[in-house]
Amino acid sequence: MQRKARRKLLKRQQSIWQNKNAWFWFLLPSFLGVSVFVLIPFLDVIRRSFLTAVTEEWAGLHNYQIIFANQAFQLAVKNTVRFTLVCLPLLIGSGLFLSVQLSRLKEMQLIKSLFLFPLAMPAATVVLIWKMFFSRQGFLNGWMVGAGILREGQPMDYMGTGIAFWVLVFSYIWKNLGYTMVLWLAGIFSVSADLTEASRVDGATERQCFWHVIFPNLKGSLYTITILSFLNSFKVFREAYLVAGSYPHESMYLLQHLFNNWFVNLELDKMAAAAVCAGTVLFAVILILQRLWDHEDM
């Protein structure tokens, strides 16, 4: 009897141990994939950032000193930071405003499927639209000449002036506004209708109902949208590159252009050092946002 009891106890302990560690076997395939294709290559990039490109001799912090003194790197960092600071508030704010308006429509479910259409468009198609609107012979110049704003024969080259930056901002917001609205709508519809109805019964206006009932319950959606928008702001290189090439107007010369030019010139030591700096900044920003959200939830 004692042996049977011991066997049963051991089987229970084994089953409990297996249930507690089941998560490990589910995460193992994903962890191996991330390790092989992300973590290990990035560790190799960190190693290369301290070596010379050709001979792979130890260079210490020399590569970092070179990139921080590089004017192209300074310009790219400045434009990238400016682009992110301009685009994130515009995208998040406009997405929230439009999603609140659309949440009140009865046929909103039929319209929601169209929001993600810009994401499905290939980059080449987006570039074609850019050229149709913003080139010298584009629709925008034709409309402005017809309206008398510009003289005929004096078209403006938008991609060759400081306006190119705002064209890039417009393209980013146009392409990412749809999924941002979908995420906001998911958060709005997750708020219990009983809370909003109770606030209306107590005499709250629509604005008070939104700011004091709905918006406080959208912190999770705000965090997700902020992180995704921040990461996607580093993915606008394809459109800008296809439109303006490797060396666009200085107002839209971003880090991605710099990395591409260094890669073409095989300046892998500089590119590795800059990639480590960019990755560190991205990781630090995400951690800071996480701490801010955790602090607000306490």
Side-chain angles (χ1 to χ4, degrees):
M1 294 293 291
Q2 293 180 352
R3 289 181 178 178
K4 290 183 179 180
R6 289 178 180 177
R7 289 176 181 176
K8 289 182 179 180
L9 181 61
L10 288 174
K11 288 182 178 180
R12 286 182 180 178
Q13 291 177 348
Q14 289 177 355
S15 63
I16 292 172
W17 184 85
Q18 291 175 353
N19 291 331
K20 286 184 177 180
N21 294 276
W23 60 269
F24 173 77
W25 301 107
F26 284 102
L27 291 179
L28 183 60
S30 297
F31 179 74
L32 290 176
V34 172
S35 299
V36 172
F37 295 105
V38 178
L39 295 180
I40 295 176
F42 189 72
L43 291 176
D44 184 62
V45 170
I46 295 176
R47 180 184 69 86
R48 290 176 180 273
S49 68
F50 296 101
L51 306 176
T52 58
V54 179
T55 60
E56 293 193 353
E57 297 178 354
W58 179 258
L61 298 177
H62 181 66
N63 293 329
Y64 293 91
Q65 294 174 352
I66 291 177
I67 64 169
F68 284 122
N70 190 297
Q71 292 183 354
F73 179 76
Q74 296 174 5
L75 177 63
V77 170
K78 175 185 175 182
N79 288 335
T80 303
V81 172
R82 180 191 176 197
F83 179 81
T84 303
L85 294 178
V86 169
C87 287
L88 256 64
L90 288 176
L91 178 64
I92 296 173
S94 58
L96 177 59
F97 174 78
L98 293 175
S99 61
V100 171
Q101 306 306 317
L102 288 172
S103 65
R104 300 169 183 172
L105 298 178
K106 294 181 179 180
E107 299 181 355
M108 190 276 304
Q109 296 296 335
L110 299 175
I111 305 173
K112 190 167 66 173
S113 60
L114 300 175
F115 294 163
L116 300 178
F117 178 72
L119 286 177
M121 294 184 66
T125 305
V126 177
V127 169
L128 181 61
I129 295 174
W130 275 32
K131 290 182 178 180
M132 291 171 60
F133 274 90
F134 300 108
S135 64
R136 286 184 178 272
Q137 292 77 29
F139 295 149
L140 185 57
N141 275 330
W143 175 81
M144 295 181 73
V145 169
I149 301 176
L150 289 178
R151 293 182 180 180
E152 190 173 357
Q154 294 181 342
M156 182 179 297
D157 183 14
Y158 297 97
M159 304 309 297
T161 63
I163 302 177
F165 174 81
W166 298 105
V167 174
L168 189 64
V169 170
F170 169 78
S171 175
Y172 168 79
I173 294 177
W174 171 79
K175 189 171 183 178
N176 295 279
L177 185 61
Y179 88 87
T180 303
M181 292 170 61
V182 170
L183 293 176
W184 276 127
L185 287 169
I188 291 173
F189 288 131
S190 66
V191 179
S192 176
D194 295 336
L195 294 175
T196 57
E197 291 297 331
S199 63
R200 292 189 181 97
V201 170
D202 291 338
T205 61
E206 289 294 331
R207 180 178 297 181
Q208 291 173 336
C209 182
F210 172 77
W211 288 112
H212 297 287
V213 178
I214 298 177
F215 188 74
N217 290 282
L218 297 179
K219 291 181 179 180
S221 299
L222 178 59
Y223 174 75
T224 302
I225 292 170
T226 302
I227 295 298
L228 291 177
S229 302
F230 176 68
L231 295 177
N232 285 332
S233 66
F234 287 82
K235 298 180 181 179
V236 295
F237 167 70
R238 293 178 301 174
E239 292 82 357
Y241 177 77
L242 291 174
V243 170
S246 302
Y247 298 94
H249 188 266
E250 64 177 14
S251 65
M252 59 183 295
Y253 188 77
L254 305 177
L255 281 173
Q256 296 92 328
H257 293 94
L258 185 66
F259 287 151
N260 177 75
N261 296 335
W262 279 346
F263 180 77
V264 171
N265 297 328
L266 296 179
E267 297 178 286
L268 302 181
D269 47 357
K270 295 181 183 178
M271 189 169 65
V276 172
C277 294
T280 303
V281 171
L282 288 173
F283 186 67
V285 170
I286 293 174
L287 287 181
I288 291 172
L289 291 175
Q290 180 67 52
R291 290 291 299 272
L292 290 176
W293 258 262
D294 293 341
H295 181 72
E296 290 181 359
D297 292 336
M298 291 178 61

